[in-house]
Structures are given as C-alpha cells and as structure tokens.
Amino acid sequence: MPIRSNDQIIHKAAWLYYTHGLRQDEVAQRLEISRASIAMYLRRAREMGIVTITTSSELFSDDVLARELEDATGLTTAWIVPEDRQAMDPAAEMPVVAASVFLELINKGDRIGVAWGRTVYHIADVMPFADLRGVTVVQLCGNLGAPYSYRPDQCTTEIARRLNAEGINLYAPLVLSSERLADELRAEPVIREQLATISDCQLALYSVGGIEEDSHLVKCGALSAEEMHAMGDKGAAGVIAGQLIDRDGQWMDCAHNRRCMSADLASIRAIRKRMLVVQEDNKFESLIAALKGGFASHLIVTASMARRVLDRWSKEGLDKNSSGKT
Amino acid sequence: MPIRSNDQIIHKAAWLYYTHGLRQDEVAQRLEISRASIAMYLRRAREMGIVTITTSSELFSDDVLARELEDATGLTTAWIVPEDRQAMDPAAEMPVVAASVFLELINKGDRIGVAWGRTVYHIADVMPFADLRGVTVVQLCGNLGAPYSYRPDQCTTEIARRLNAEGINLYAPLVLSSERLADELRAEPVIREQLATISDCQLALYSVGGIEEDSHLVKCGALSAEEMHAMGDKGAAGVIAGQLIDRDGQWMDCAHNRRCMSADLASIRAIRKRMLVVQEDNKFESLIAALKGGFASHLIVTASMARRVLDRWSKEGLDKNSSGKT
DNA sequence: CATCATCGCTGACAAAAGTCAATGTGCCTG
DNA sequence: CAGGCACATTGACTTTTGTCAGCGATGATG
C-alpha cells in the first residue's frame, strides 16, 4: 500500500505546524505544496490521531467533572465543591461558594427570586456585602406563621440587606388551611401582582427539599410525617419553593400544593438563571427530580453528588450530548 | 470571587473549544464574554498545559537509516533528525524531537533520571506541558556551585514543572575538592539513599559530553584545559553525568571521577530506557564511547552522525546483527 | 484508443482566529 | 478618598485558516 508516502508528508506537516508552531503557509512553502493541501493534511492528522489534543484530566479533575456534568444534563454551569482530605468540610464550604457564585451572576438592575430553606439561609449568612442598588430581591414563596429558625422572609431580607438591594417580601403564609382560602388569596391584587412578576426575574436562588421526615415541610407543620410519607408513595421526590414535585420534576396535583402560596413552577422555570444549591448527599433523588424538572441552569454540588448524577444520567440514557463531536 | 475563578473559566473555554469543537465566537457567546477574551484564555490554556497538543514522533523513527542503526548497535530505538534542505536547523530541531520522544517514553508512575548539559537544558526548554502526576524526576548528578548557565537542578526542576511531576534534586556539588570529602558525602544517608534509587528509574535522559576544551567540565572549572587534555591522552573519550568514560565507555579511575558526586555508571546502565541525545557532530568519538559503554537504549542523532556510527561499527566489525538483515 | 471515474491538488473566497490600542475595573497607597 | 497602578476586557482591524469548485493527472474500462 502506497499510503506510507502519504502518511509521511502528513506527519511532517503536523510536526512543523503543531510542534514547531509554523503557520500553514510556512509549512506549505517548506514542503512545496499549496497551503490548502496543508490544511487538509492537518485535518487528517487530527482525525488519524497523529496529533492529539487533550484537556488535562487529573490536574483539573473537578473542572472536568463539572464540564461533564454540564454536558450530560444541559446545565449552563456547574460548580463542584471538592471533598479532598485536606479541604474543609464540603457542606460548610458550599454556602460560601454559592454566595460568591450568586454574586457574580447578578447584573445591574436584575430582579432576583429567593426561596427558602436551611441552605439558602446559610448562603444568606455568608453573603458578602455589596452595593447593588437597583437590584430587587423578591421572595419566591410564602412565609411561615409559626416562629421557625429559617424564615422565608429572613432569607430575602438578609440577602437584600447585604447587597444593599431592595427586598420585596411576600406577605402571605406559605401554607393555608384550605384550598379555597389559598385561591382567594392568590386572587388578591397585591399578591397576584407579586407572583406575576416572578417570571420576570433574571436569577433565582433555591435548594431542593427532601421528602424525608426531617423535611422542612414536616418540621414546620405543613404536613405530618405520615402525610409526607404517603406523598412519597404517590411519587413525590422533592420540594421546590415549598411545593412538592414528582420524580420527573413536575408539579404534583395534591392538597398540599393547592394550599401552598408560592411561585408558580412554570414561572420559576422561566427564569433564565436558576441557581440550585444542594448540600446534603441524601437529597440525591430530590436533586435528580429537580434537574429533570428543569429547575437548575446553574448547579452547585459536591463532587460525589456530581458523580452520582452523571452515573444516573448515563444509566438512564438521558445524556443530552450524544452529538458532541471530536 | 470563587477560588480559582480564573482557571475555571479558562478550563471551561478550553473544554468547549477543544473537546466540543465549538468556535471561539460560540464559546464567547455561551460564556457571555468577548471573543477576544476567549482567544486569550485559549492561549493561556495551551501555555498552562490545561490543553496539550502532541504530535507523534513516529516521523523521525520511521526511517531506513534508523532501522539500520538499531540493528547495528543494538539500540532499542533510534530517531534520526534529517538534515534536508527543507528541514529546519537540525541542531535546533533535535531538542524538540527529543522532548517529544522523551514524553512518549514516560509511563504512569515512572521514576526518571535527568542529567545535565546544554542539550538537556534545551530539551527542558522545549518540553511540552503534560499532566503526569505520579511521575518523579530525579537529578542524576550533583550541582555546580558557581553560577553557571545550565545548572543541573534547573534541568530537573524545569522538566518536572512542565510534566507536572515531582522533582527531586540532589543537594550536593558535582565536584568536590577532595576524594575524602566526596566519599564522606556519598556516605551521608540522604545522599546515599538518593543515589541508590537511581537504578530504580525506568527512564534516563542525558547527553554525552565531549572532552575538548569547550567541555562543560572545563568551562565550569572542575578540570583545567590541561588536565582535560591529559585525561584525553590517558584514554578519556567522553563525559556521562559528569564522569569521564574511556573509549570503551568504562568508568575511568581518575582523581576527577573519584571526586565527582553523581550516579554510579552501573546504576545508569541498569535503567531500562536510557535516552541519549547528541546534538553536536564533533562529539562523535564521545558518542561511540557512550554506545560501547551501553549508555544508550534510545538514541537521537543527526543523519550524518548516524551514518558515521554505522560506518565505524562496520569497520570495527562490531555489528551485533551479522546474521540478520540484508 | 477514447472515455470515464477517481483522486489529489490548487486558487480564490469565506470564515475564523489572532492582535493590539483603548478602555474599564478593581485595588492598593499615600 | 483621590490618584495611580496593574491588569482584565473589549472592539476594530489584520492575519491565518477552512472550504470547495474546478483542474489535471492517473488508471481502469469498453
């Protein structure tokens, strides 16, 4: 096979171009053929593996993991909080990372939706101070009547205070005692308007709640442990802004959700930058549900969670990046 | 800002561009920064070794002359740097070839011995970046006290840095003023241990020094020009890792060698892949000595040197492969 | 021996990447 | 807190690279 002689010139072109950094026209001149041919040779050299271009894997393993997670799930950006031996407690580190990422995602004049939960509260707690006048922080879900350690309005208010932004609270309970009352309240102009503006947000911040007995919905009395358990049997997988979602991330048509004063899930999905922060590894199934439901464009998780998500995605053949070329 | 936010965005840009094959403007759009910045990030990614572009060095080994040289001398592999009209300056080309070959010879977890000299220094200077964690680069010979342009520790350190490997320097002078002191120093546990590990290397990189007046040993003051000349009369033919060898490549029992802190020649010979790079054509006799002494399993030379070696080998009837080929 | 198909190569043009001065932006210092 | 410094970022421009129709050589076929 006379392929050999062909290969030789391809090798040579690749060597001069990639290793020596000559330009294509210089290579062409030296090899005394047209530059167009050089361009073709170089493409073949790449295709044939005579030259290989690799992005370092071990050195930036967390970055690579993040990129893979983005590719698989279609996230805009993923941040991986490492779990090295020498690193700090990852769960403790995450709110810090989240806060700084959050800050960078804010643009002048943005409207920002903030939900509620332990994670969000911790993020608020370590949020740096900034001067973001013109930014508005709105509360994504209603308040808890009873005194509770992490109150939705506290999250909103604290973040707004730190950013020197305007905070707008939702003056309604998270859960009402009847569907009728919830409907009527939702119809109130002041409430309705506020809920209607949520889809205008450019950025949202929330975590996903679990459906275990230690869920906030149970702890704050919105649901009993038995009710929550029953919901789990009916397919509930997580909680977004106080509302139960099923394994596919869809709103569940249940009594609790109908009684819940919170942002319409469609409105939340309409927000361009949806920042989801998951600290606890046992929220894995809830995270999966939230991802499937499209509740995250920007995700912050631990490395092990990221790996589990990737694993699950590949097992279910959900990888959106079947087309990615090489 | 998040830790390593800079690296993060560079890595992401590199990932999208090189792994996904997006165009720069597409990457820019996705990351919401200007394309000019992307171009800059990508350059940095290449410089920092986040992406590595390697070309196979097959080009230089795929040569009739190289095969003949291997057959004659018993080398494992020879690489011939051509001296064509169209080729670049062969002397300038050689370090590049050497670096590329060197990289291909490294395996995960290897321990690599590196000696010192102008050639090795130049190789280090053009060594591509790579991600070879777990690889250890050890210094084969002691350091030069006086400030000198090519310092042994620099060679080791620079190569280790480029490979992202661990570099281990030998903290001892190359030449001591008395044999007694040299002996005592060699007996020091820290030194002794380090010298003892040299035979555990899987790969060594060095050149062979000449015994002319422009030899490094003379230039750095270890030997006077007269002394060197006298050693030549006594049969010295070259320098390996700072030590004089005779025309058969054997260690010379001389004052200089006894005062020299360097790897035992037997240890060097024990290394499986001994990569010898000879740039200067006037080192011919030294090269012959090194080959006879078994200091090369992998050789990189110019075509004319290769021919001269073949010529000498056939004249002396040393051809190890009298039965084999045509 | 004409014809056709194939393939590598090239010129010319379109697309993409590189470059650089000007501009922002934060950050430190006096 | 102004001023200045260092450096990241960008828009506009230049250079380099990718592409593809068309050309010519080669070789197989009727």
Side-chain angles (χ1 to χ4, degrees):
Chain A
M1 45 184 169
I3 297 164
R4 199 68 235 156
S5 62
N6 233 357
D7 262 20
Q8 190 77 15
I9 197 137
I10 293 179
H11 263 101
K12 206 150 194 168
W15 179 266
L16 292 172
Y17 185 77
Y18 286 108
T19 308
H20 276 277
L22 297 192
R23 291 192 314 269
Q24 290 187 0
D25 55 345
E26 293 178 300
V27 178
Q29 206 176 340
R30 199 176 283 259
L31 267 42
E32 296 177 325
I33 45 178
S34 79
R35 199 191 54 71
S37 297
I38 298 296
M40 193 194 63
Y41 291 162
L42 293 177
R43 173 149 35 97
R44 284 212 216 142
R46 287 185 299 260
E47 285 166 0
M48 293 167 63
I50 291 173
V51 306
T52 53
I53 301 177
T54 53
T55 58
S56 163
S57 53
E58 283 177 41
L59 183 50
F60 300 90
S61 56
D62 283 343
D63 288 341
V64 170
L65 187 57
R67 298 296 90 74
E68 287 174 349
L69 192 59
E70 291 158 11
D71 288 349
T73 60
L75 288 165
T76 303
T77 311
W79 285 266
I80 307 289
V81 178
E83 301 159 301
D84 300 341
R85 347 85 224 143
Q86 91 245 26
M88 3 230 357
D89 177 17
E93 172 131 49
M94 190 168 298
V96 181
V97 174
S100 58
V101 167
F102 180 74
L103 211 53
E104 284 189 1
L105 289 178
I106 302 173
N107 290 318
K108 222 172 160 67
D110 274 0
R111 169 175 285 263
I112 301 169
V114 171
W116 143 84
R118 197 177 57 81
T119 303
V120 173
Y121 190 83
H122 281 162
I123 292 169
D125 206 42
V126 295
M127 185 69 65
F129 289 86
D131 185 20
L132 293 167
R133 254 172 266 205
V135 167
T136 308
V137 181
V138 304
Q139 194 175 326
L140 285 179
C141 57
N143 284 294
L144 293 140
Y148 191 66
S149 45
Y150 321 115
R151 296 203 338 255
D153 61 328
Q154 275 186 338
C155 296
T156 312
T157 308
E158 181 62 13
I159 289 176
R161 188 179 74 83
R162 301 250 184 163
L163 304 185
N164 197 25
E166 191 187 2
I168 298 185
N169 292 328
L170 183 63
Y171 293 114
L174 177 62
V175 187
L176 295 160
S177 52
S178 80
E179 293 179 28
R180 184 191 50 78
L181 189 53
D183 285 340
E184 284 175 16
L185 201 51
R186 267 191 282 265
E188 276 296 307
V190 62
I191 303 286
R192 191 179 55 203
E193 276 169 31
Q194 193 169 337
L195 290 176
T197 63
I198 283 171
S199 57
D200 297 336
C201 287
Q202 285 78 39
L203 172 62
L205 170 66
Y206 44 79
S207 185
V208 61
I211 57 153
E212 315 305 320
E213 291 178 13
D214 60 344
S215 154
H216 282 302
L217 287 185
V218 174
K219 284 201 280 184
C220 77
L223 287 170
S224 69
E226 294 75 40
E227 285 170 326
M228 183 59 103
H229 200 266
M231 288 311 299
D233 290 343
K234 285 186 187 167
V239 180
I240 294 282
Q243 296 160 90
L244 287 162
I245 57 170
D246 66 18
R247 296 196 211 290
D248 291 322
Q250 301 304 310
W251 189 77
M252 295 189 72
D253 192 4
C254 64
H256 166 77
N257 278 359
R258 286 191 299 265
R259 289 187 295 130
C260 194
M261 296 294 300
S262 184
D264 184 3
L265 292 188
S267 301
I268 294 180
R269 286 197 191 93
I271 298 170
R272 195 164 72 84
K273 289 178 279 190
R274 305 174 300 285
M275 188 171 150
L276 180 64
V277 186
V278 181
Q279 288 186 282
E280 301 90 341
D281 279 9
N282 63 12
K283 281 189 182 171
F284 175 64
E285 293 299 338
S286 307
L287 166 60
I288 293 290
L291 287 174
K292 284 186 183 169
F295 289 109
S297 64
H298 297 70
L299 179 68
I300 303 186
V301 284
T302 60
S304 63
M305 277 290 256
R307 277 185 219 103
R308 287 174 72 187
V309 171
L310 268 176
D311 192 46
R312 170 71 66 91
W313 239 251
S314 67
K315 267 188 190 138
E316 299 196 6
L318 288 166
D319 204 316
K320 294 186 181 176
N321 183 27
S322 336
S323 55
K325 49 113 276 157
T326 294
Chain B
M1 61 178 162
I3 307 89
R4 291 176 49 206
S5 68
N6 266 355
D7 278 10
Q8 182 93 13
I9 196 128
I10 291 177
H11 187 271
K12 186 150 184 174
W15 179 271
L16 291 173
Y17 187 77
Y18 287 108
T19 308
H20 274 271
L22 297 192
R23 292 193 313 267
Q24 291 188 357
D25 57 344
E26 294 178 301
V27 177
Q29 206 176 341
R30 201 180 279 224
L31 300 184
E32 295 178 326
I33 47 180
S34 76
R35 201 191 51 74
S37 297
I38 298 295
M40 195 197 63
Y41 289 162
L42 293 177
R43 172 148 32 98
R44 284 218 215 136
R46 286 184 300 259
E47 284 167 0
M48 293 167 65
I50 291 176
V51 303
T52 55
I53 301 178
T54 53
T55 56
S56 151
S57 62
E58 199 189 318
L59 174 59
F60 297 94
S61 68
D62 183 42
D63 194 78
V64 176
L65 185 57
R67 295 294 88 71
E68 287 175 354
L69 191 60
E70 290 158 15
D71 288 348
T73 60
L75 287 164
T76 303
T77 313
W79 285 265
I80 308 289
V81 177
E83 299 157 304
D84 301 342
R85 349 83 227 152
Q86 83 207 30
M88 353 241 349
D89 178 17
E93 173 91 330
M94 192 167 296
V96 183
V97 177
S100 176
V101 168
F102 180 72
L103 210 55
E104 287 183 8
L105 289 178
I106 301 173
N107 291 318
K108 221 174 161 65
D110 275 0
R111 170 174 284 263
I112 300 169
V114 171
W116 143 85
R118 197 176 56 80
T119 302
V120 174
Y121 190 83
H122 283 161
I123 293 169
D125 207 43
V126 296
M127 185 69 64
F129 289 85
D131 184 21
L132 292 168
R133 268 182 211 208
V135 166
T136 308
V137 181
V138 303
Q139 192 175 326
L140 285 179
C141 57
N143 284 296
L144 294 141
Y148 193 66
S149 46
Y150 319 115
R151 297 205 334 258
D153 60 329
Q154 276 185 340
C155 295
T156 312
T157 307
E158 180 63 12
I159 288 176
R161 187 179 75 83
R162 301 250 185 164
L163 304 184
N164 197 28
E166 192 188 1
I168 298 185
N169 293 327
L170 183 63
Y171 294 112
L174 177 62
V175 188
L176 295 160
S177 51
S178 80
E179 292 178 28
R180 181 190 52 78
L181 190 53
D183 286 340
E184 283 175 14
L185 200 51
R186 266 190 282 265
E188 276 296 307
V190 63
I191 304 284
R192 192 180 54 203
E193 277 168 31
Q194 193 168 338
L195 290 175
T197 63
I198 283 170
S199 57
D200 297 336
C201 287
Q202 285 78 37
L203 173 61
L205 170 66
Y206 43 80
S207 185
V208 61
I211 56 153
E212 316 304 321
E213 290 179 13
D214 62 344
S215 155
H216 281 303
L217 287 185
V218 174
K219 284 201 280 185
C220 78
L223 287 170
S224 68
E226 295 75 39
E227 286 171 326
M228 183 59 100
H229 200 265
M231 288 312 299
D233 291 342
K234 285 186 187 166
V239 180
I240 293 282
Q243 297 161 88
L244 288 163
I245 57 170
D246 66 18
R247 295 195 211 290
D248 291 323
Q250 300 304 310
W251 190 77
M252 295 189 71
D253 192 3
C254 64
H256 167 77
N257 276 0
R258 287 191 298 265
R259 290 186 296 131
C260 193
M261 296 293 301
S262 185
D264 185 1
L265 292 188
S267 300
I268 294 179
R269 285 197 192 90
I271 297 170
R272 194 165 70 85
K273 288 176 281 190
R274 305 174 299 286
M275 188 172 148
L276 180 64
V277 186
V278 182
Q279 287 186 283
E280 302 90 340
D281 279 9
N282 63 13
K283 281 188 182 171
F284 177 64
E285 293 300 339
S286 306
L287 167 59
I288 294 292
L291 287 174
K292 285 186 182 169
F295 288 109
S297 65
H298 297 71
L299 178 68
I300 301 185
V301 284
T302 59
S304 63
M305 278 290 257
R307 279 188 216 100
R308 287 173 73 184
V309 171
L310 269 176
D311 192 47
R312 171 72 66 91
W313 238 250
S314 66
K315 265 185 191 141
E316 297 195 8
L318 287 165
D319 201 319
K320 293 185 183 177
N321 185 16
S322 332
S323 54
K325 38 133 249 124
T326 310

